[in-house]
Each structure stands twice: as C-alpha cells, then as structure tokens.
Amino acid sequence: MSQDFTTRTSRKHLTMEMDTQGLSMQYLSNDDAVFSQLNDLAIIRDELPKLDARQQNSVFGQQFGVQLSSHKISEQQDEKYENIRFDQIKIKQGREFQGTYFKECRESARQIISLLKLRDNYTFHEHQEYEQVDLFTNINQNNEPQVQWSQKVEPLPIMDEAEVLQENGVTYVVVQGKPLVVVPTMFQFISDLLYLMNCINNNSIAGYSYSRLKFLEEKFQMHEIFNHQQEQLRQKEIKRKDFYNVFKVDTHIHHSAAMSAKHLQNFIIKKYRTSAEEFVALDKNNQKIALKDIFTQLGVNPLEISLDSLDVQADKQMYKRFDRFNQKYNPLGFPKLREIFLKQDNYIKGRYLAEITKELINMLDDQQFIGCEWRISISGKSMEEWHKLGKWFVKNKLYSAKVRWLIQIPRLYGVYKKSNLINSFQDMLDNIFRPLYDITINPTLDPFLYQSLFQVVGFDTVDDESAYEHFSKSDLRTLPSEWQKERDPPYTYWIFYIYANLYSLNALRKERGLNTFSFRPHCGEAGNIDHLATAYLMADGINHGIELIKSPVLTYLFYLKQIGIAMSPVSNNKLFCRYQKSPFLKYFKMGLNISLSTDDPLILHLTNEPLLEEYAIASQVFDLSTIDQAELARNSVKQSGFESIIKKYWVGEYLNDRIQEKNAENRNNLPQSRFMYRKITLNEEYERIELQGDEILF
C-alpha cells in the first residue's frame, strides 16, 4: 500500500441524514472500519458433529448432512488480513425502531431466516471427491496443480451387504436392514414449496428483500467510488498475473456445440477429403451409407460449404423461438449430419465427435488458463446409454486436466412415451439412475462406466422452460410409476425426482469413498417463478437465472446462500432477454455469486475462444473493470466441479465458508480489498437479519 493511500482518508467522516428506519449512514475511514470488522469476521465455531445417516431415525429435517451450531465471536484478529485497508460504508443504528413498519421488518427477517434453514434441510452437505484423488494429481511446469484421470482407477470390492430398493419413485440402498439416508417425500416437498411460494408472494417480505437488494447495489457503487483507484493500483502490484493468465472456467457449455462454426466447417471438409468412402450411417432400409453419399443425397458439395450455408449460427428469427434454436444443431439443416458429426451414440460409435473433442482439448491446452464443464446427454430412453457413454470416454481416451463433465438430462419424456420407448416416468428414472447404483455397488459390472464417472462432476436438466406446462398439486402427487400420460410432467416434478434420486446416490457414493455429483439445472431462463423456487430448495447451482430478478425474495435468498448462477448474456440475447436488459450487472453489484459462460459457441460465438469473447462483450457493454473480470473468473472456479486442490489453489482456502473464506490474491488477481468488501458485506447482512429476527444463524 502506498503511504499516500493510508494517510489521505484517515480523518474523513461523512454523516448522512437519518432515514425512515432510524438508521444513519456513515462513511468510515479505513482505520475506523476495517480492523473492527476483521475482529467480527474471525469466528470460532464448535466442531460440527457428523451424523451417521444409518443412525438417523428422525423424519425429514434433521438427517441431512450435519447439524448446525451457533457461532461465537473471537477476540482474535485475522492476521492474514490485518494489513488490508480500504474505505468502507457502514450503517450505524439510529433511534429505536417503532410502529407497524418495524413489526413488518422483524417478521420479514424471521421468515427469511426460516427460508434459509429450509434450504439447509434439503442440501446435501457432504459432497466429496474420490478419496485417492492425490494419486491422479500432478504439478505442471508453472507449479500449478492438475488432476488428470487418464490412469486406470482400481475398482472397489463388491458391496455385498447392499440391497437396492425403490419406493415412490426414489431408489435407495439398504445396508444391514437400514437405509443409508432418508430422502424427503413428495408430500413434504409440496408443503415446503407452498410455504416458500407464499413467502415469495408476501408483500412485506418482498418489500423487505427489495430494500436490502437496493442497498447492496448502491453500497457497491459507493465502494467503487472510494476504492476503485486503490484497487487498480493494488492489482498492478500483483506480479505475473492479469486477466489472461488466471484460471477461469466455462461453467455452462454444451459439448455438442462446444466448437465454433468455422471449426465444424473445417472438420466436415477434412473428413470428406480423407474419408468420403467410409460408411457412417444406416439408411431407412438399414443399409450402410457412405459419407459421400450423404452429401450426394443433399445435393451439396462439401468443398463448397460456407458458414452461411452451414446454417448453424443464430439469426434474428430465433428470439423467443426455442424450436428454431434447436434446429441450429443440424448442419445444413440436415438432422443426419448432426447424428454423424455431433453425437456419440451412432453407427460409427461417436468417432467423429471424439476427434473434434480431442481437437478442442488441444486448444484448451494451448490456451492454458481456461477450463470447461461440458454437458453431455443421458436421455433416459435406455439403460444401455450409460455403457455406451463410458466406453466412448475410455476407448477414445477423452481425458483432460482442463475438462470436467456434467450429465444433462433432456426433459423429453413425452417424445419417448409417444415412441413407445418407455411406458411410464418411472422407466425413465430407472434408465437414468439404476446403472449408477449398480456400478457403485459392483464396479466390475461395467469398468468403462466406473472409470469415466471420475471426471463427471454433476447433473443438469435441459429443455425449453418457456413451453406451456400444466401444473397442479394433483400432478405432483402422481407417482412416477403411475405417470403414463403422453404429456411431460411439470418442471417441478422433474427437479424433485432427479434431486431425490441423486441425493440417495450421493449418500451411497460417499459411503464407498467415491466422488459425488452436484445438481446444477437450467433454471430461470424463462418460465414461471416456481422453477426458481424449486431450484432454491434443491439445486447446488443453476444456469441462466435471468427470471430471478422478478422475485426480490428469491434474489435475496440466492444472495445470502451464495448459490452459483452461470449466466450467458450472449445466449439470452438471442433467445429470451436482450443484452441491454440483462440483469447480469444488477446481480453483480448486489453480490450474487455469478459467472460468465458460453452455452453454445457453435451457434452463438464467432471465435475459437468463446469464453474470452463472452468476457470481452460483457466488459464493453457493462463497463467491467479488470477487477470485476478477476472476480467473475474467481467465481467461475468456485462454482465449478474441479477438485478441491485446484479450487484452493486458484480461489483460496475455506471457499465454502462465509466466515473463514480466504482469497488467493497472487493467483487469481483479485485484490484483497474487493474480496474483503464482499465478505464483510455478506456477513453484515446475516448479522442484520439475525438482529431483526432475534435469532442467530450459522
């Protein structure tokens, strides 16, 4: 810190007029504010008692993960941050609250507290990675940790004592007569969702949440006014780090659209030149057909294909038309080319897609500081899908230290039902989850799948949220085995049964010492607010979230819980929300845990570095500083499913603890003052609702 900065504001003091709540706002100097706050942020907590799920005999609400204890304020200062100085806005108590407004605030704070606890009841608190991850960790030439799953993982012994059962749409495991975990029932979920929706629609709670969010937004702007120059100076002092050489993760990208349109065009031309005679598909009569014959049927000479004729990029006719967006996955408008080049389950066993994937991995290696979380589909129409996917991973050696995978579940029950591929929704759930239970209990059943699951970090669910859905409590009460209608279940129904089965599966994998899976669905891109309410209870993070701005209560809850939101403003601009109307900047100023992602580079972007393109556009439109960029990059790593050693290196220690969290400034290029502003502000919000709600939160 320069001497000029440490002295120039030492005696500043600005008091604003008392507002209607009896509060006064003060501009405090660094000496007055920061050190007292650091004392408050050094927290000592009682050791959390771990609960053995098999010994939990209580019903829903107590058996999830760990019991939470209240915190104590330490008298010791956080030594690591004792020299951080920045100017801070602080609210100080004025006259006593009185009257109806005070009662509304207190009751609203109490309801917010109850909603925070409600999410804790649903959250899987014990996510873990593979116990022997150290065996697959190495240090690269830049002394940065990397985890590479290319080596064979020795299979665990068979879990003979385990019995897999299924009840009311949820698969669970019983060991020695006792279930590993108790999962909430649909009846309990409906009750909690209705309570949450009532709070969302309550004017008092909504007004309370809106005022807090508005304050957070304005407070950030004042923080920038007083600290931006010094944060820039501090960032310049960080050696050998800038935006281009800090690790950032594309937290939401679909694998079959991960390449640029130019990349796909060049690949198609290359395969035509080198493999025109190769049989690549079957025709309607199950006769083999060569690649050249495919193009002959189309009346197209591949050597003359342009980006315009390839017709995979978004255009002006796509806005509010998700169906047209999906059609862009078909090169030249021909679904057969999508099957040949962009699918892994086809006649050539996904070889072309594997080759493109390897080229993308090589590009990531060249770029060095970009990671991806690619989505790949398991549709639920057959149990064989899992074996084919695992074999595709292993046989094609699709391993990279820069890539982790999420399984996306398309909500296409109605399509498969009409095609007679499944009889009920339960069939779909069995096809999606039963192979994972079996392979976790007995890895020898499918060594390919067992090996490939170590680089899978989560589940997603995708489809058009804007589509009309029939939603009633009677639908939610229908068991999956009884859902034999041709129409799709509502979004909330999908989320609950994916969540419940994934929760039970994670308990089994934790018992076995294997990696668990997060749940990060597409949510809030369009559709009703109940989508986001459901995700608040059950999701570890979401993708898009642009509809969240319509509910102050949910926005405030997402902020307090720091639920990750992978936003894609370029994608939203083409489909549901024009760029200038995006809530991205509001979310960022408020302090929500957001990151930038690309969604579908094939359709939306122009370069071979789509994530940098996304950052460049956002930086220009939203006037983001290099400090803002560093914060977004840090958020992306924090949200991602990369192993803890990677996240600790780039983010800092205790990254899931709002009290003890640290920042690795010299690695992620985010000045400590910005990090401490976010940390202090979040904890002050908790202190405020604790004070008003007269209850201490963990």
Side-chain angles (χ1 to χ4, degrees):
M1 296 290 179
S2 67
Q3 183 64 29
D4 176 64
F5 175 72
T6 58
T7 59
R8 66 184 172 86
T9 59
S10 61
R11 289 182 173 81
K12 288 184 180 179
H13 190 85
L14 173 64
T15 301
M16 301 180 71
E17 290 298 323
M18 198 173 292
D19 63 18
T20 57
Q21 299 183 35
L23 300 176
S24 62
M25 179 180 289
Q26 289 187 331
Y27 167 61
L28 300 178
S29 72
N30 43 37
D31 294 333
D32 295 332
V34 179
F35 295 134
S36 62
Q37 282 299 322
L38 289 171
N39 286 331
D40 291 344
L41 289 176
I43 302 300
I44 295 178
R45 295 172 302 178
D46 299 327
E47 183 177 356
L48 297 177
K50 300 291 183 181
L51 298 181
D52 188 340
R54 291 168 293 181
Q55 297 176 350
Q56 295 162 357
N57 53 16
S58 61
V59 290
F60 175 62
Q62 296 181 12
Q63 81 279 2
F64 291 87
V66 297
Q67 290 179 333
L68 303 180
S69 61
S70 61
H71 61 259
K72 300 176 182 178
I73 297 203
S74 171
E75 296 179 356
Q76 296 181 354
Q77 195 165 295
D78 191 335
E79 295 180 358
K80 184 172 182 179
Y81 297 109
E82 64 181 358
N83 292 322
I84 299 172
R85 300 189 176 191
F86 65 98
D87 298 338
Q88 183 177 282
I89 303 298
K90 184 176 177 62
I91 295 294
K92 299 190 74 174
Q93 184 70 46
R95 53 184 162 81
E96 290 294 326
F97 289 103
Q98 292 181 355
T100 303
Y101 184 74
F102 163 64
K103 292 179 181 178
E104 284 188 357
C105 287
R106 170 155 291 186
E107 181 57 32
S108 297
R110 287 173 177 169
Q111 294 296 334
I112 292 292
I113 289 173
S114 69
L115 294 176
L116 293 173
K117 291 182 176 180
L118 189 61
R119 174 175 164 83
D120 289 335
N121 290 340
Y122 284 87
T123 302
F124 189 82
H125 292 283
E126 299 185 0
H127 279 297
Q128 69 175 28
E129 56 198 31
Y130 179 46
E131 289 180 344
Q132 299 184 34
V133 67
D134 292 347
L135 299 177
F136 305 89
T137 304
N138 60 76
I139 306 299
N140 66 14
Q141 59 185 5
N142 297 322
N143 292 320
E144 299 159 355
Q146 292 184 334
V147 179
Q148 177 74 274
W149 294 104
S150 55
Q151 302 177 47
K152 180 181 177 182
V153 182
E154 291 300 321
L156 296 171
I158 300 173
M159 195 177 182
D160 292 321
E161 69 276 15
E163 182 181 4
V164 181
L165 303 176
Q166 188 274 323
E167 183 178 7
N168 297 332
V170 180
T171 303
Y172 63 98
V173 175
V174 173
V175 178
Q176 298 178 353
K178 296 181 179 179
L180 286 180
V181 72
V182 179
V183 180
T185 65
M186 176 61 86
F187 177 80
Q188 293 163 331
F189 166 65
I190 293 172
S191 176
D192 290 334
L193 180 61
L194 289 175
Y195 169 65
L196 174 56
M197 291 300 295
N198 285 334
C199 291
I200 290 170
N201 294 320
N202 182 285
N203 290 336
S204 296
I205 304 174
Y208 177 86
S209 300
Y210 175 81
S211 66
R212 298 312 306 159
L213 293 169
K214 192 65 177 176
F215 168 73
L216 291 170
E217 184 180 356
E218 299 296 333
K219 183 179 180 181
F220 177 76
Q221 292 185 185
M222 296 195 73
H223 169 81
E224 284 200 310
I225 289 172
F226 293 116
N227 295 285
H228 177 68
Q229 182 179 4
Q230 181 59 23
E231 286 180 342
Q232 279 190 319
L233 292 174
R234 175 56 192 151
Q235 196 175 52
K236 292 176 182 178
E237 294 174 359
I238 301 174
K239 297 179 180 179
R240 298 186 298 277
K241 286 298 174 187
D242 54 40
F243 171 73
Y244 290 96
N245 57 13
V246 298
F247 192 49
K248 56 196 78 67
V249 179
D250 195 340
T251 47
H252 166 214
I253 176 172
H254 299 279
H255 172 248
S256 58
M259 72 295 295
S260 68
K262 187 65 177 177
H263 186 176
L264 179 61
Q265 176 199 16
N266 291 338
F267 185 84
I268 291 174
I269 293 173
K270 180 178 70 173
K271 298 312 293 185
Y272 183 78
R273 283 173 171 165
T274 60
S275 308
E277 303 292 336
E278 181 181 5
F279 293 114
V280 294
L282 298 175
D283 62 16
K284 295 180 180 179
N285 299 317
N286 283 329
Q287 299 297 313
K288 293 184 289 185
I289 183 169
L291 182 61
K292 68 174 184 178
D293 296 329
I294 295 285
F295 287 104
T296 299
Q297 291 177 2
L298 286 174
V300 173
N301 181 355
L303 301 180
E304 297 176 351
I305 292 176
S306 67
L307 288 181
D308 295 330
S309 61
L310 192 64
D311 194 26
V312 294
Q313 294 200 293
D315 54 41
K316 290 185 176 181
Q317 305 302 314
M318 190 180 293
Y319 194 66
K320 302 288 185 180
R321 291 294 301 271
F322 199 85
D323 55 332
R324 290 179 177 172
F325 183 86
N326 280 337
Q327 290 172 7
K328 291 296 181 179
Y329 276 93
N330 301 320
L332 301 171
F334 191 45
K336 200 68 174 179
L337 289 180
R338 178 182 184 182
E339 176 189 330
I340 294 168
F341 287 97
L342 299 178
K343 287 185 177 291
Q344 52 85 19
D345 184 7
N346 55 21
Y347 179 78
I348 56 175
K349 297 181 172 55
R351 182 157 47 82
Y352 284 179
L353 182 58
E355 290 178 16
I356 298 176
T357 302
K358 289 180 179 179
E359 292 178 2
L360 289 170
I361 289 174
N362 290 336
M363 290 180 184
L364 289 174
D365 290 338
D366 292 339
Q367 293 167 6
Q368 292 189 327
F369 294 100
I370 294 179
C372 287
E373 293 188 309
W374 285 334
R375 269 71 170 169
I376 194 164
S377 292
I378 289 290
S379 62
K381 59 187 176 183
S382 168
M383 288 191 185
E384 283 297 309
E385 286 182 284
W386 280 109
H387 173 71
K388 292 176 180 178
L389 179 61
K391 193 171 183 179
W392 180 75
F393 274 128
V394 176
K395 289 292 187 180
N396 292 290
K397 299 180 180 179
L398 299 178
Y399 308 107
S400 171
K402 302 292 180 60
V403 175
R404 296 296 177 265
W405 299 79
L406 278 86
I407 302 300
Q408 65 177 23
I409 302 172
R411 297 191 298 277
L412 298 176
Y413 162 83
V415 174
Y416 304 141
K417 172 65 176 177
K418 291 174 183 177
S419 302
N420 294 318
L421 295 173
I422 54 177
N423 182 53
S424 67
F425 191 75
Q426 184 62 57
D427 293 342
M428 196 169 191
L429 291 174
D430 290 340
N431 292 339
I432 294 170
F433 289 104
R434 186 55 193 259
L436 299 180
Y437 282 89
D438 293 341
I439 200 66
T440 302
I441 292 171
N442 183 3
T444 61
L445 290 175
D446 191 342
F448 293 123
L449 178 57
Y450 179 77
Q451 177 75 32
S452 64
L453 288 178
F454 288 99
Q455 53 183 339
V456 173
V457 298
F459 278 67
D460 191 353
T461 179
V462 298
D463 201 24
D464 182 9
E465 282 191 79
S466 67
Y468 171 78
E469 61 179 16
H470 183 273
F471 182 23
S472 67
K473 286 189 285 186
S474 61
D475 282 341
L476 294 182
R477 293 191 182 106
T478 303
L479 294 176
S481 58
E482 298 172 355
W483 191 286
Q484 300 179 10
K485 312 167 189 177
E486 289 192 348
R487 67 177 174 87
D488 275 300
Y491 180 91
T492 297
Y493 191 94
W494 279 94
I495 296 296
F496 173 80
Y497 283 108
I498 294 174
Y499 157 83
N501 283 280
L502 194 58
Y503 194 107
S504 179
L505 175 64
N506 280 336
L508 172 63
R509 291 184 68 82
K510 179 183 180 299
E511 183 78 7
R512 297 284 274 159
L514 298 172
N515 57 309
T516 56
F517 307 119
S518 63
F519 184 32
R520 291 151 57 189
H522 278 53
C523 184
E525 185 178 17
N528 299 323
I529 204 68
D530 62 88
H531 295 192
L532 286 158
T534 303
Y536 169 73
L537 292 177
M538 297 184 163
D540 297 293
I542 63 171
N543 307 304
H544 292 298
I546 54 178
E547 293 294 305
L548 187 64
I549 196 67
K550 295 180 179 179
S551 171
V553 177
L554 279 174
T555 305
Y556 192 46
L557 291 171
F558 267 70
Y559 166 72
L560 290 171
K561 281 299 185 181
Q562 288 292 289
I563 299 171
I565 307 174
M567 301 194 71
S568 307
V570 171
S571 172
N572 301 147
N573 180 64
K574 288 297 184 181
L575 269 173
F576 294 112
C577 178
R578 293 303 186 192
Y579 213 108
Q580 62 269 27
K581 295 183 179 180
S582 172
F584 174 89
L585 188 59
K586 272 186 172 291
Y587 291 172
F588 182 74
K589 289 180 178 179
M590 291 171 184
L592 273 72
N593 179 14
I594 62 172
S595 63
L596 279 170
S597 61
T598 59
D599 198 354
D600 295 276
L602 173 67
I603 301 172
L604 301 165
H605 297 82
L606 300 177
T607 71
N608 285 327
E609 295 185 345
L611 186 60
L612 296 186
E613 195 176 331
E614 196 82 39
Y615 272 89
I617 296 171
S619 297
Q620 292 297 321
V621 175
F622 299 127
D623 195 24
L624 302 179
S625 68
T626 55
I627 301 151
D628 300 333
Q629 294 169 0
E631 183 177 353
L632 290 167
R634 183 183 187 273
N635 286 350
S636 73
V637 181
K638 186 176 180 180
Q639 289 178 20
S640 75
F642 279 85
E643 291 75 16
S644 61
I645 188 172
I646 309 296
K647 297 169 83 167
K648 287 179 181 178
Y649 181 87
W650 291 106
V651 176
E653 296 180 340
Y654 308 111
L655 67 163
N656 292 319
D657 190 320
R658 66 177 172 87
I659 304 296
Q660 299 190 61
E661 183 179 0
K662 310 296 184 186
N663 178 47
E665 178 188 52
N666 292 327
R667 294 167 182 167
N668 58 42
N669 205 37
L670 179 67
Q672 299 289 16
S673 57
R674 171 66 67 87
F675 165 74
M676 287 301 294
Y677 164 77
R678 295 293 194 190
K679 180 176 177 179
I680 289 172
T681 300
L682 177 61
N683 282 280
E684 283 182 342
E685 282 301 305
Y686 271 91
E687 291 169 4
R688 180 181 177 82
I689 60 174
E690 287 172 351
L691 177 64
Q692 290 187 328
D694 197 25
E695 185 171 352
I696 293 179
L697 281 169
F698 178 78

